[in-house]
Amino acid sequence: MRVRRQKNNRKTVRFYRVQHGFREPFKVLLDSTFVHVCCEGVGTVGTLPTALPRLLGGKVRIFVTRHVGQELRNLKHGKSAALARTFDLAKTPEDLDSDASPADAILRLVGTNNPEHFFVATQDKRLKRALKAIPGTPLIAATVNGLVLDEPPTKAAAGAEKPAKAARDQARGDGAVSEKERKRLSAVRPDLADAVKRKTSGTPAHKKRAKAPNPLAVKKKGKKEKGGGDNDGEESKRARKAPSKRREARKQMAAAAST
């Protein structure tokens, strides 16, 4: 089960790297609920700097907003607030109210397309539902079994796989890409869309044709003689068999002795 989960995590990280341009060191933005659960509930305090790189398979920078520490201090979670101070501080928009909740601050940082490429770690279900509607925003949660990386939406993964496969086929020369596939590719990977050529109606499709058999490998069928049994076949084999040198020598010695 652990091996399958690690395989799924690598697949998810690869999806966000290819389709949305995530790069190392990965940026992880923590919510106050996630910090408190890791510190008090799950008991992974002190292991986040090692658990997150193991989860994402690369170097990680951990960020929190100033609203996280403020909320944890207001709730009198001193241990969680002390843990939050050890992480980097993410810059929030200047027009954001200082009394805003950490969820509102995270939504303002992520925006409409997550330009900073944040992995958002939260336990807030309402915030999760809002972030799932934003493309290119992976989510991390803490459970009893450890940290969990949510898989990307099925429709988004399936829609991104088709244009990516078409781009790979175009690079290999397997065929051109249609205008519809090119528009779909430009939505997820604009850099690849410029390199892909448009499909023309006069482009012939390359088909593999069956090759003729090697004439040297084809054995011609011999004609069978009518009649005769097994004895005739044995006699013909003995007749075709060349005499050995020892037999010829014995014949010569016998002929010399008789003379």
Side-chain angles (χ1 to χ4, degrees):
M1 195 68 177
R2 183 181 300 177
V3 176
R4 182 181 299 177
R5 185 165 61 246
Q6 292 176 354
K7 184 179 179 180
N8 292 337
N9 291 340
R10 288 195 298 268
K11 186 177 180 180
T12 302
V13 173
R14 192 184 307 115
F15 168 80
Y16 285 106
R17 289 181 67 130
V18 174
Q19 302 300 333
H20 298 284
F22 281 62
R23 295 291 181 269
E24 293 187 37
F26 300 117
K27 299 178 182 179
V28 182
L29 186 59
L30 305 185
D31 186 21
S32 57
T33 57
F34 183 84
V35 175
H36 180 64
V37 167
C38 289
C39 190
E40 302 291 342
V42 181
T44 57
V45 59
T47 64
L48 281 179
T50 58
L52 286 172
R54 186 168 59 248
L55 176 70
L56 302 179
K59 297 180 181 179
V60 170
R61 289 188 62 187
I62 305 176
F63 291 88
V64 294
T65 61
R66 54 190 175 90
H67 304 81
V68 171
Q70 183 178 353
E71 184 180 53
L72 291 174
R73 286 191 297 270
N74 293 338
L75 295 175
K76 297 182 180 180
H77 297 313
K79 192 176 180 181
S80 302
L83 177 63
R85 283 196 297 269
T86 62
F87 304 134
D88 295 335
L89 191 64
K91 294 182 179 180
T92 55
E94 296 179 357
D95 58 344
L96 185 62
D97 190 5
S98 59
D99 296 334
S101 65
D104 294 337
I106 289 175
L107 289 175
R108 289 291 302 273
L109 278 175
V110 173
T112 57
N113 57 353
N114 194 12
E116 295 295 330
H117 302 124
F118 280 118
F119 285 85
V120 181
T122 180
Q123 303 293 111
D124 190 351
K125 294 182 180 180
R126 201 176 308 175
L127 179 59
K128 282 184 177 181
R129 284 195 298 268
L131 291 174
K132 284 182 179 180
I134 301 174
T137 308
L139 301 177
I140 299 175
T143 63
V144 179
N145 297 326
L147 303 182
V148 177
L149 177 62
D150 289 355
E151 296 183 1
T154 307
K155 293 183 179 179
E161 181 63 22
K162 291 182 179 178
K165 183 179 182 299
R168 291 194 298 267
D169 294 343
Q170 174 68 16
R172 291 196 303 264
D174 293 345
V177 178
S178 64
E179 184 66 21
K180 184 177 180 181
E181 292 174 343
R182 189 171 180 271
K183 288 182 180 180
R184 192 185 304 168
L185 179 62
S186 62
V188 293
R189 290 297 302 274
D191 52 342
L192 286 179
D194 297 336
V196 174
K197 298 179 180 179
R198 296 185 178 181
K199 185 176 182 180
T200 57
S201 57
T203 305
H206 178 71
K207 296 182 180 179
K208 293 183 178 180
R209 298 180 179 178
K211 296 182 179 180
N214 187 0
L216 299 178
V218 177
K219 185 177 180 181
K220 296 181 180 180
K221 296 181 179 180
K223 296 182 180 180
K224 295 183 178 180
E225 296 180 358
K226 296 181 180 180
D230 296 338
N231 296 332
D232 296 340
E234 294 295 333
E235 291 177 359
S236 60
K237 288 182 181 180
R238 285 197 296 269
R240 290 195 301 268
K241 188 176 181 181
S244 62
K245 294 183 179 180
R246 186 177 299 175
R247 191 181 303 153
E248 291 292 333
R250 284 201 298 267
K251 289 182 179 180
Q252 292 179 2
M253 291 175 61
S258 61
T259 56

